[in-house]
Amino acid sequence: MIVTTTDHPSAVMLDTAARLASELGARLVQRRRRTLGQLAEQEGRRELLVVTSTQLRYYGGPEEAPFYFHPSMAYVRVKRLRKGEADPLITLSGCRPGDKVLDCTAGLAGDSIVFSYAAGPEGSVTALESEPVLHAIVREGLGNYETELDDVTAALRRIRPLLADHAEYLKTLPDNSFDIVYFDPMFRDPVHESSSISPLRGLANPDPLNAGTVQEAMRVARRTVIIKETNNSPEFDRLGFVRCPVKKTSAVGYGVIHVD
Ligand SMILES: C[S@@+](CC[C@H](N)C(=O)[O-])C[C@H]1O[C@@H](n2cnc3c(N)ncnc32)[C@H](O)[C@@H]1O
């Protein structure tokens, strides 16, 4: 992968590009007014990470649409919570202010943002992502993205993003050390993927959740282990979750295990 900037980069952008190239073991290349196509051809690499003044943009190839951090639906969901409306993930997980939440599949951190707002300043959300490029894009986004609402921006900043495989990380945790442990693996059936998740498919870890990992999550969780899947997915039964459809018309549902 190449890490570069837009044209006329600031010193901060150059520092960010150098830091990310070193972190990701990628080649740092000066832009010098070249198009992405020219860069990819001259450097012999298709994948590009471009540092702009406001965000990181990842291109799977110079002609592909960029992937970047944005709160998208999470922002809409948090605005509903602010108005006192319910969010199915918060209701079914039983998340309340002060809770410690472990999000085992961070992705774009949309669900982490909703948990972080619901758990509030006294709570905490740790967001695990196994894929280094995705983790870096989302970590920088959570640290820098400004929403129009200070309390929502604060919820983004409180999330602790970690580069880790959840199966390994859970084994290191003491019993009952989080209130809620959450899984949202890539759907077995991608047809029902949301428009915000499908762009990350090329970068994401597609592995199914392991039954042994669910057992570890039950040891680590004080109250709830919860998973998101397609409504009719056999994963709920295979992994021992009680299926909780959101609504009859929704393609997505949750599965819950209460451990208290
Ligand atoms: C469907 S996405 C999660 C979307 C997220 N809930 C959101 O709202 O943006 C699944 C993510 O989990 C990550 N993942 C899959 N297996 C993992 C593992 N063993 N450890 C950590 N992350 C994993 C994938 O790389 C992907 O980014």
Side-chain angles (χ1 to χ4, degrees):
M1 187 172 73
I2 294 166
V3 180
T4 191
T5 62
T6 46
D7 279 328
H8 312 297
S10 66
V12 172
M13 287 160 64
L14 289 170
D15 280 356
T16 304
R19 174 168 58 77
L20 289 168
S22 156
E23 173 184 337
L24 298 169
R27 189 186 295 179
L28 180 63
V29 175
Q30 290 195 21
R31 185 66 180 262
R32 295 207 189 96
R33 300 197 176 181
R34 287 174 289 177
T35 65
L36 296 182
Q38 288 166 338
L39 267 180
E41 197 180 325
Q42 288 166 13
E43 302 293 332
R45 296 183 191 199
R46 284 183 52 74
E47 289 174 82
L48 300 128
L49 187 63
V50 181
V51 179
T52 79
S53 57
T54 54
Q55 62 186 191
L56 296 179
R57 286 190 202 145
Y58 169 84
Y59 297 80
E63 69 293 336
E64 289 187 18
F67 169 79
Y68 49 88
F69 173 82
H70 52 93
S72 65
M73 270 309 288
Y75 191 52
V76 176
R77 288 166 64 194
V78 169
K79 284 205 282 190
R80 287 191 198 130
L81 286 177
R82 289 172 100 246
K83 285 196 273 179
E85 293 173 24
D87 181 274
L89 177 59
I90 299 306
T91 306
L92 290 169
S93 65
C95 181
R96 52 195 189 224
D99 273 354
K100 236 178 125 181
V101 179
L102 181 64
D103 181 349
C104 288
T105 46
L108 268 174
D111 291 318
S112 279
I113 293 169
V114 179
F115 272 127
S116 180
Y117 182 82
E122 307 302 320
S124 68
V125 176
T126 303
L128 309 180
E129 173 56 55
S130 61
E131 303 312 299
V133 175
L134 199 42
H135 164 74
I137 293 170
V138 173
R139 180 196 62 211
E140 302 290 312
L142 288 170
N144 296 310
Y145 191 95
E146 298 281 345
T147 76
E148 288 165 6
L149 298 166
D150 289 348
D151 55 344
V152 184
T153 303
L156 265 66
R157 301 286 187 271
R158 286 197 298 273
I159 296 168
R160 185 170 159 247
L162 285 182
L163 176 63
D165 183 297
H166 56 230
E168 298 306 316
Y169 189 76
L170 280 163
K171 285 184 203 155
T172 68
L173 295 173
D175 294 359
N176 303 318
S177 45
F178 282 83
D179 295 292
I180 296 165
V181 178
Y182 175 56
F183 295 99
D184 176 16
M186 298 303 281
F187 288 163
R188 298 300 88 210
D189 174 6
V191 168
H192 298 297
E193 227 154 57
S194 73
S195 55
S196 61
I197 294 302
S198 41
L200 65 75
R201 194 155 260 280
L203 281 174
N205 178 343
D207 292 349
L209 185 55
N210 184 295
T213 302
V214 177
Q215 292 300 313
E216 281 294 316
M218 289 167 68
R219 180 185 64 73
V220 167
R222 270 192 287 269
R223 296 206 316 270
T224 315
V225 181
I226 179 162
I227 183 174
K228 187 197 285 180
E229 247 299 345
T230 48
N231 246 337
N232 299 320
S233 173
E235 290 295 271
F236 294 122
D237 291 340
R238 179 180 75 83
L239 297 166
F241 287 88
V242 175
R243 190 186 302 252
C244 306
V246 176
K247 36 183 165 145
K248 277 198 179 135
T249 50
S250 171
V252 172
Y254 292 97
V256 176
I257 300 172
H258 292 293
V259 290
D260 53 354

